[in-house]
Amino acid sequence: MTHETPPGAHLPEHADFLWRNPEPKRTYDVVIVGGGGHGLATAHYLARNHGITNVAVLEKGWLAGGNMARNTTLIRSNYLWDESAAIYEHALKLWEGLEEDLGYPILFSQRGVLNLAHTEQDVRDSVRRVEANKLNGIDAEWLTPDEVAKICPIVNISDDIRYPVQGATYQPRAGIAKHDWVAWGFARRADEAGVDLIQDCEVTGFITDGDTVTGVRTSRGDIGCGTVALCSAGHTSTLLDMLGVRAPLQSHPLQALVSELLEPVHPTIVMSNAVHVYVSQAHKGELVMGAGVDSYNGYGQRGAFHVIERQMAAAVELFPVFARAHLLRTWGGIVDVTPDASPVVGHTPYRNLFVNSGWGTGGFKATPGIGWCLADTVANGRPHEYVAPFALDRFVSGALVDEHGAAAVAH
Amino acid sequence: MQLIECPYCGPREEVEFHYGGQAHIAYPETPSELSDEEWARYVFFRDNTKGEFAERWSHSGGCRRWFNAVRDTRTYAFHSTYRIGEKP
Ligand SMILES: Cc1cc2nc3c(=O)[nH]c(=O)nc-3n(C[C@H](O)[C@H](O)[C@H](O)COP(=O)(O)OP(=O)(O)OC[C@H]3O[C@@H](n4cnc5c(N)ncnc54)[C@H](O)[C@@H]3O)c2cc1C
Ligand SMILES: [Zn+2]
């Protein structure tokens, strides 16, 4: 047996200094509620692209400790509809240059994603999506089961399993990144630019004057604001409720888990919509797996065990070599989902209050893209063209962007 | 896994049940008079309460009947379950 470098030994060291912990000022040009990936990316691009630095990011817990710390980090842009493809592909292009932009390692690894098809209808939908992706300039291919096995040899392509693999779509540019490092990279650059990142600061209410929000009430006192951007993921509707604004958001637990460290066995990302599991192997060697949301509404940052059991059954059938892997840890986040499985971004009935929500189970991949577009939206007081289709009023006009089932489980 | 009290069958395991979202949403009384805005509210908009929430469940793996429940969305604990038409 050879002694190779242990998994994870190549991970870069952290920077000595990440960000300051300033006291909140009395007022800011822009107040961002929520210090997850989206809030931090928005702060970074406000400073970098628009020179707006009198900005506070208010986080009720610790920075990036919400869904940002809990997600499974899949990044891809092979969505069906033009509107989704545009924003996710914009994000993917930014991911490709992000390490350089942030001057911080984010371990973005473009190892490709296979979205498996198990039924004749799956096959038709997948081929349709590949063609739609190509028309949008997104890399996509349709692969036969043998071609799937060439890319990921541990996928069980035998005929005698319950849902045999009939083929897969493949996006080679898809990948994973180290979520904490992404957050810290954005935080560090925003802090350097002068943005105040304020942890342990819960927004508990709003101060309004007619259709204008003039300040936020927080656990650390009132803070005045020129513009407010909500980047509070699963908690957006609890904040909007305080303003009497309704959005079609429902918060659900979403769980994931990792195995013990294993030798590299899984070279890519594999997702299966029909049997509902997805798997990748993290930089250090853990198998990272997730499935769909728990069915009921919840804010508990945990879910039910039978959901995990079901996803494990699917994983072991698709990857028989996983049968003896030990489960190390499971956890849950709270994601907000909408009726058309697409985000709600843009104007609210309050002139200077912008919302960014409803990314559900798939918002990590959007992080740089939405940060860029929301910063532009806030700076110019009108929706960026990539977020315009995701306005709240689409539920009245009927111009939905229905990604349910169209682009596989949303992660 | 938690036990859910079906009002018809008694306590059963959670896997036997299906979630049906917010309870007590009445179909509009005068549908032809609704504006687009009002239809949108009826079709797409639901409360997303953090705390005690009245919602619908179906005992799909048992008696297959629908009933209502009050559950805390912070702890997931059920406070009560009751038949359609009954009060919590
Ligand atoms: C298990 C799991 C797996 C996932 N896998 C993927 C994946 O593979 N790929 C993908 O693209 N996406 C994935 N997601 C989804 C993704 O994590 C989210 O869509 C995305 O993180 C949402 O944006 P955010 O990072 O800003 O949210 P968060 O990190 O949740 O940020 C919101 C922040 O707002 C704070 N906040 C809330 N209320 C207040 C308040 N009143 N005052 C102050 N602060 C407040 C919260 O504490 C939180 O830190 C996954 C999510 C989960 C839970
Ligand atoms: Zn019953």
Side-chain angles (χ1 to χ4, degrees):
Chain A
M1 185 157 161
T2 56
H3 289 273
E4 288 171 18
T5 335
H10 61 286
L11 293 185
E13 293 292 320
H14 297 311
D16 292 340
F17 182 79
L18 286 169
W19 57 80
R20 302 163 293 133
N21 275 305
E23 283 301 308
K25 292 194 274 188
R26 300 198 50 164
T27 171
Y28 292 92
D29 292 340
V30 181
V31 165
I32 296 170
V33 185
H38 289 201
L40 294 168
T42 303
H44 167 63
Y45 291 114
L46 272 173
R48 178 191 181 282
N49 294 354
H50 306 280
I52 300 174
T53 58
N54 185 20
V55 176
V57 178
L58 309 181
E59 168 55 48
K60 71 173 174 177
W62 69 93
L63 220 59
N67 294 306
M68 188 63 175
R70 293 157 200 269
N71 78 86
T72 48
T73 81
L74 304 195
I75 296 165
R76 63 190 179 93
S77 64
N78 57 352
Y79 282 67
L80 177 67
W81 301 111
D82 294 351
E83 298 87 344
S84 321
I87 178 99
Y88 288 112
E89 178 60 17
H90 175 56
L92 182 47
K93 291 206 176 97
L94 289 170
W95 280 110
E96 289 173 328
L98 197 58
E99 199 156 289
E100 208 171 314
D101 178 16
L102 297 179
Y104 197 74
I106 57 162
L107 304 175
F108 181 45
S109 160
Q110 285 178 290
R111 55 184 64 187
V113 64
L114 291 164
N115 290 90
L116 303 180
H118 300 273
T119 65
E120 215 174 308
Q121 188 58 39
D122 260 0
V123 172
R124 291 192 194 109
D125 292 342
S126 303
V127 172
R128 177 186 179 206
R129 183 158 47 79
V130 164
E131 298 307 330
N133 289 163
K134 285 184 185 159
L135 288 172
N136 279 316
I138 292 168
D139 55 323
E141 294 165 46
W142 168 253
L143 304 184
T144 63
D146 288 334
E147 290 168 328
V148 169
K150 255 182 226 138
I151 290 178
C152 191
I154 58 170
V155 176
N156 184 1
I157 56 162
S158 105
D159 273 345
D160 59 356
I161 61 175
R162 190 160 172 207
Y163 300 103
V165 174
Q166 314 258 342
T169 67
Y170 184 49
Q171 183 181 23
R173 284 165 62 242
I176 58 171
K178 250 332 218 184
H179 48 94
D180 292 334
W181 302 59
V182 173
W184 298 337
F186 276 118
R188 193 159 160 263
R189 285 302 295 265
D191 174 87
E192 269 169 19
V195 171
D196 283 355
L197 308 175
I198 301 168
Q199 308 185 67
D200 225 345
C201 182
E202 178 167 6
V203 172
T204 55
F206 296 89
I207 307 162
T208 57
D209 180 9
D211 67 352
T212 305
V213 178
T214 55
V216 293
R217 298 199 185 284
T218 84
S219 53
R220 296 176 65 175
D222 293 352
I223 299 174
C225 58
T227 305
V228 185
L230 299 183
C231 293
S232 36
H235 280 84
T236 307
S237 56
T238 60
L239 286 159
L240 289 176
D241 282 349
M242 297 174 192
L243 286 159
V245 175
R246 265 168 85 81
L249 298 169
Q250 297 281 291
S251 297
H252 288 260
L254 176 63
Q255 304 187 73
L257 54 93
V258 292
S259 73
E260 62 195 317
L261 304 187
L262 299 170
E263 294 287 322
V265 290
H266 194 293
T268 182
I269 302 162
V270 177
M271 305 179 61
S272 170
N273 210 9
V275 303
H276 234 121
V277 70
Y278 62 94
V279 190
S280 69
Q281 190 165 15
H283 299 83
K284 276 193 286 185
E286 307 98 321
L287 297 168
V288 182
M289 303 192 209
V293 295
D294 280 44
S295 68
Y296 47 74
N297 290 28
Y299 289 90
Q301 290 191 324
R302 62 181 173 78
F305 195 72
H306 67 263
V307 173
I308 291 174
E309 226 176 345
R310 216 178 287 148
Q311 99 198 36
M312 287 302 88
V316 170
E317 184 152 21
L318 276 178
F319 305 94
V321 300
F322 291 178
R324 283 159 193 269
H326 291 106
L327 176 65
L328 207 63
R329 192 166 78 244
T330 77
W331 66 89
I334 300 302
V335 300
D336 47 353
V337 301
T338 62
D340 64 352
S342 289
V344 174
V345 185
H347 279 109
T348 67
Y350 289 85
R351 192 182 59 72
N352 61 337
L353 176 81
F354 292 97
V355 67
N356 166 48
S357 62
W359 291 91
T361 63
F364 173 73
K365 64 179 64 63
T367 300
I370 185 58
W372 181 290
C373 295
L374 191 62
D376 180 90
T377 299
V378 166
N380 295 302
R382 50 99 192 98
H384 183 281
E385 61 169 313
Y386 290 157
V387 298
F390 300 109
L392 184 51
D393 66 10
R394 75 178 184 275
F395 295 95
V396 175
S397 69
L400 303 179
V401 185
D402 197 353
E403 284 289 350
H404 258 309
V409 268
H411 316 284
Chain B
M1 190 177 309
Q2 65 173 328
L3 293 177
I4 299 176
E5 174 93 22
C6 171
Y8 303 96
C9 310
R12 294 289 188 276
E13 289 195 351
E14 185 177 349
V15 285
E16 293 186 14
F17 295 85
H18 263 90
Y19 187 59
Q22 188 175 4
H24 311 300
I25 306 284
Y27 188 76
E29 273 177 28
T30 49
S32 59
E33 288 164 27
L34 256 51
S35 65
D36 289 352
E37 172 85 31
E38 286 163 334
W39 269 121
R41 303 271 147 198
Y42 170 68
V43 175
F44 295 123
F45 290 65
R46 295 290 179 270
D47 292 345
N48 191 21
T49 310
K50 184 173 185 175
E52 289 189 10
F53 189 46
E55 54 193 20
R56 301 182 305 171
W57 286 81
S58 154
H59 188 191
S60 44
C63 67
R64 308 192 53 194
R65 297 216 237 182
W66 284 93
F67 60 92
N68 292 326
V70 173
R71 188 180 56 95
D72 193 317
T73 60
R74 292 165 301 195
T75 61
Y76 308 158
F78 284 77
H79 288 302
S80 60
T81 56
Y82 51 101
R83 297 176 190 206
I84 303 288
E86 288 178 354
K87 293 248 153 42

